[in-house]
Amino acid sequence: MKEISHLSSQPAINVAVVGHTNAGKTSLIRTLLRDDQFGNIDETAGTTRSVEKSVIFAGDHAVINLFDTPGFEDSSALLQALEELTGNVETRTPADLLRSFISRAMDYPDFEQEIKVLRQSLNSDALLYMIDVREPLLGKYSDEVEILSKAGKPILPVFNFIAGNDEALMRWREQMARFNLHAALEFDTVAFDFDAEKRLYQKLQSVLEPRYHTLQTLIDYRQEVWNKLVHAAARRIFQLLTQVACYRLEVNGKDGISDADMNAMQNFVRQAEQAALRDLLTIFAFSQKDVELHQLAVRDRQWELDIFSPQALKDFGLNAGATALKGAAAGAGIDLMVGGLSLGAATALGAALGAGWATLRRYQNELKAALEGHRWLCADDNTVSLLYLRQQQLLRTLTHRGHAAQGKIQLADNAGHALPKNWDKLVKTLRQNPEWQHHSSTSTEYRQLQAEVTGWLTADAR
Ligand SMILES: Nc1nc2c(ncn2[C@@H]2O[C@H](COP(=O)(O)OP(=O)(O)O)[C@@H](O)[C@H]2O)c(=O)[nH]1
Ligand SMILES: [Mg+2]
C-alpha cells in the first residue's frame, strides 16, 4: 500500500469497548479482528474480568488499539458512589472526579471491575458503547451513559442483536439521542459484512476528526484485503468447478457402470467439494461458532447434505427427476458425445498421443473403432450445477450478505439460485478440456473462463 508509510509516525488510536455484560463487546472485537481465538465469549456474566488489548493493523502499522473491558454490573450504585464523592472532594471536571474515585479504589472493593472500565475510558480516545437492543430500557443504562460521559470522550453507541428487532432498535436510538448520542452504529455478528465494518471506521472518523486520514488509510487497506479475500475465494471455486467438470474415469465394458467406478467418481466429487469448503472457511477465518451463528449446513467443516442426495438438488431448485428417469445412478454422466468419442475425450486422447485435433479428425473412423467399448464416466450436469450453486451460496454466507439471524437460511429460495446466463457454454467448454482437471492452464481460453466465473461470484459477494 502506497499510503501506509505515513502511519509509522502516528500513535495508534485507543478505543475502549464498554457496556453491559453480555452485550457483545468481545464478539465485536473478535469480528473486527477476524480472529475467533480472541477473548472468551460466553453467556455467563462477567467472562471478561480485566481489560484486554488487541490491535488492528494496516499492514505492519498499528492503527487502533482496541480495549475489551469487563461489563458494568451495578451502574446505579456506582453513580450514587460518584455523587457522594462529589460532595467530599473538590474536582474541576467530571473526568477529575473519575480520577479521584479511581485513586480511592481501595475504598470501593465492590467496584473493582467498574474502576477498570473507568480507567480505560479515561485513557482512550473514543468509546464504543455496546448495547443489546433486546434489553428493556432501564434506568441502569442512563446511569451507565451518565458515568461514561464523565470521561469526556466521544461515545459511539453500538446496537447489537438488531436482526429482527427493528422496533427495539428504534426505541434505543431515540433513547441515545436524548443523551445527545446521535451518531450510532448497528452491529450484528450475523449480518456484519465489510460495509458494516467500513461504517464503523467512518463513524470513528466523524468523532475523531484529527485522526481522519489515519482511519481512511485503514479503511482503504481493509478494502483491499477484503477484495483479495473475495477474489481468492472465487478462484478457488473456479478451480473446484474445473476439477469436477473435467473429471473423467475410463470405464470398461459397454453396459452398466460398476459400483466401484460409481463410487470412485462420487468420492472424487465429494472430496473435491470438501477440500474447497475447508479452504473457503479458512480464507474467511470462519470458526465453528460462526458456522453455527450463520446456520450453515456444515458440521466439522463438512457439508451436512451429501452432494448426491436428491434433497441437495431440490434445495437448489434442480430437477432430481431427470436423472432418476434415465435410471442412472445419482450424479453419473457418461461421456458419449460422438458415438463413444466425445470432443472432450478425443482432445484428451489427442493430447495423450501427441496429436492435434486435425489429425484426430482425419483418422476419426479408425479412432472410433479403436475406442469402441471405451466409455468415460463423469459427473453429470446436475452435479456440476449443484456444485456451483452451493459454492455461490457459501460465498454469500461467508461474506455475510443478506442473512438474518433468525430462522433457517432459506435454501429453497430459487431467486438467489439462478445459474448464470452462460452456464451451459461454460460447462461444455470445461468438459472439452479434460486436461484442465489436474493443472490450471495458461491458455487464453482458460484465463477468460476463470475471469468470467470469478466475475459472477465476486459481483455477488461485494
Ligand atoms: N445472534 C447473535 N449473538 C451474538 C451477537 N453478539 C454476541 N452474541 C452472543 O452473545 C453472547 C455474549 O457475547 P459476548 O461478546 O461474550 O458479550 P460481552 O460480555 O459483552 O463480551 C455470546 O454467546 C455471543 O455469541 C450477535 O450479534 N448475534
Ligand atoms: Mg466479554
Side-chain angles (χ1 to χ4, degrees):
M1 288 283 296
K2 45 193 173 346
E3 287 287 328
I4 283 184
S5 51
H6 81 272
L7 291 180
S8 48
S9 55
Q10 305 255 340
I13 302 166
N14 293 318
V15 175
V17 183
V18 300
H20 217 78
T21 303
N22 268 343
K25 298 181 291 297
T26 306
S27 299
L28 171 72
I29 294 175
R30 203 189 58 141
T31 305
L32 288 174
L33 295 175
R34 306 229 177 284
D35 177 4
D36 57 293
Q37 301 305 312
F38 177 78
N40 215 337
I41 297 180
D42 206 324
E43 309 263 5
T44 52
T47 312
T48 310
R49 302 217 166 272
S50 54
V51 174
E52 281 170 50
K53 177 181 148 180
S54 51
V55 184
I56 295 179
F57 288 92
D60 293 334
H61 301 288
V63 178
I64 296 179
N65 292 324
L66 273 179
F67 295 93
D68 196 5
T69 65
F72 262 76
E73 274 171 20
D74 196 349
S75 43
S76 310
L78 175 59
L79 187 59
Q80 208 178 338
L82 283 168
E83 271 158 11
E84 277 162 22
L85 186 65
T86 324
N88 300 335
V89 297
E90 222 168 278
T91 52
R92 283 173 298 125
T93 63
D96 276 344
L97 174 67
L98 293 186
R99 279 186 208 100
S100 2
F101 186 77
I102 293 168
S103 68
R104 288 170 175 75
M106 301 274 267
D107 303 339
Y108 301 103
D110 289 351
F111 295 123
E112 193 192 338
Q113 295 209 30
E114 283 82 354
I115 285 173
K116 287 176 191 163
V117 184
L118 295 179
R119 189 181 290 122
Q120 189 54 53
S121 301
L122 287 166
N123 289 335
S124 296
D125 301 306
L127 312 182
L128 293 178
Y129 178 40
M130 290 300 289
I131 292 163
D132 178 351
V133 299
R134 301 167 307 178
E135 289 280 306
L137 290 151
L138 297 176
K140 65 181 180 188
Y141 289 98
S142 36
D143 294 343
E144 239 168 65
V145 178
E146 198 173 332
I147 297 165
L148 292 171
S149 320
K150 289 186 195 301
K153 302 299 162 81
I155 300 175
L156 273 180
V158 182
F159 300 118
N160 192 17
F161 298 96
I162 52 169
N165 295 312
D166 294 352
E167 241 176 80
L169 172 63
M170 216 170 63
R171 281 201 306 277
W172 272 104
R173 276 197 175 277
E174 284 165 10
Q175 172 82 351
M176 287 299 121
R178 260 178 241 136
F179 291 110
N180 253 327
L181 300 176
H182 296 280
L185 280 152
E186 291 171 19
F187 167 77
D188 200 292
T189 302
V190 180
F192 198 80
D193 56 13
F194 179 69
D195 283 338
E197 180 183 335
K198 199 152 76 177
R199 276 197 299 279
L200 191 149
Y201 297 136
Q202 285 166 340
K203 288 274 160 70
L204 278 177
Q205 279 181 313
S206 69
V207 297
L208 294 171
E209 186 64 29
R211 309 308 304 276
Y212 187 92
H213 289 293
T214 305
L215 286 161
Q216 189 58 45
T217 311
L218 177 64
I219 293 170
D220 295 343
Y221 173 78
R222 296 292 309 170
Q223 178 81 60
E224 199 173 306
V225 170
W226 181 249
N227 293 349
K228 280 188 181 145
L229 290 181
V230 174
H231 204 74
R235 284 169 75 114
R236 182 63 184 85
I237 294 173
F238 177 72
Q239 190 197 357
L240 169 67
L241 281 180
T242 312
Q243 283 174 328
V244 172
C246 298
Y247 176 84
R248 255 163 191 62
L249 178 69
E250 190 180 338
V251 293
N252 294 313
K254 285 188 179 154
D255 27 48
I257 308 159
S258 74
D259 285 351
D261 288 338
M262 263 314 289
N263 288 339
M265 185 276 289
Q266 291 192 340
N267 282 336
F268 174 84
V269 176
R270 280 189 194 109
Q271 278 163 19
E273 196 192 21
Q274 299 295 2
L277 171 64
R278 283 193 293 274
D279 287 348
L280 290 181
L281 291 175
T282 304
I283 288 172
F284 291 101
F286 242 56
S287 66
Q288 185 56 37
K289 179 89 197 168
D290 295 315
V291 166
E292 282 161 24
L293 278 170
H294 287 77
Q295 311 206 11
L296 260 178
V298 169
R299 187 167 294 153
D300 298 330
R301 295 165 82 82
Q302 306 233 332
W303 288 105
E304 281 178 358
L305 206 53
D306 186 72
I307 183 138
F308 295 106
S309 69
Q311 187 58 44
L313 285 172
K314 259 198 246 146
D315 278 352
F316 285 88
L318 294 167
N319 186 2
T323 313
L325 273 180
K326 279 190 246 154
I334 290 288
D335 187 13
L336 284 171
M337 278 171 58
V338 199
L341 178 62
S342 80
L343 217 49
T347 315
L349 188 78
L353 298 174
W357 177 237
T359 320
L360 281 174
R361 213 166 37 195
R362 202 170 331 133
Y363 295 103
Q364 204 176 9
N365 288 335
E366 289 86 338
L367 270 168
K368 237 198 239 171
L371 288 165
E372 213 64 69
H374 287 254
R375 291 162 175 235
W376 283 266
L377 179 60
C378 55
D380 70 353
D381 286 352
N382 254 347
T383 302
V384 182
S385 301
L386 175 56
L387 205 63
Y388 177 81
L389 292 175
R390 196 137 87 150
Q391 306 311 306
Q392 181 190 48
Q393 199 220 7
L394 173 66
L395 185 60
R396 274 185 199 155
T397 307
L398 295 175
T399 51
H400 306 265
R401 270 285 161 201
H403 286 289
Q406 264 87 25
K408 265 273 177 209
I409 289 171
Q410 295 297 305
L411 284 178
D413 171 10
N414 290 339
H417 292 143
L419 288 162
K421 249 205 329 258
N422 287 343
W423 178 251
D424 290 339
K425 194 165 153 258
L426 169 84
V427 176
K428 210 168 136 208
T429 315
L430 290 177
R431 289 198 192 285
Q432 286 170 0
N433 291 281
E435 73 277 11
W436 291 348
Q437 187 200 327
H438 300 293
H439 42 82
S440 57
S441 160
T442 49
S443 72
T444 320
E445 192 178 26
Y446 181 90
R447 296 277 160 230
Q448 273 169 358
L449 286 184
Q450 187 181 46
E452 191 174 6
V453 174
T454 50
W456 295 336
L457 290 163
T458 53
D460 207 62
R462 236 189 284 282

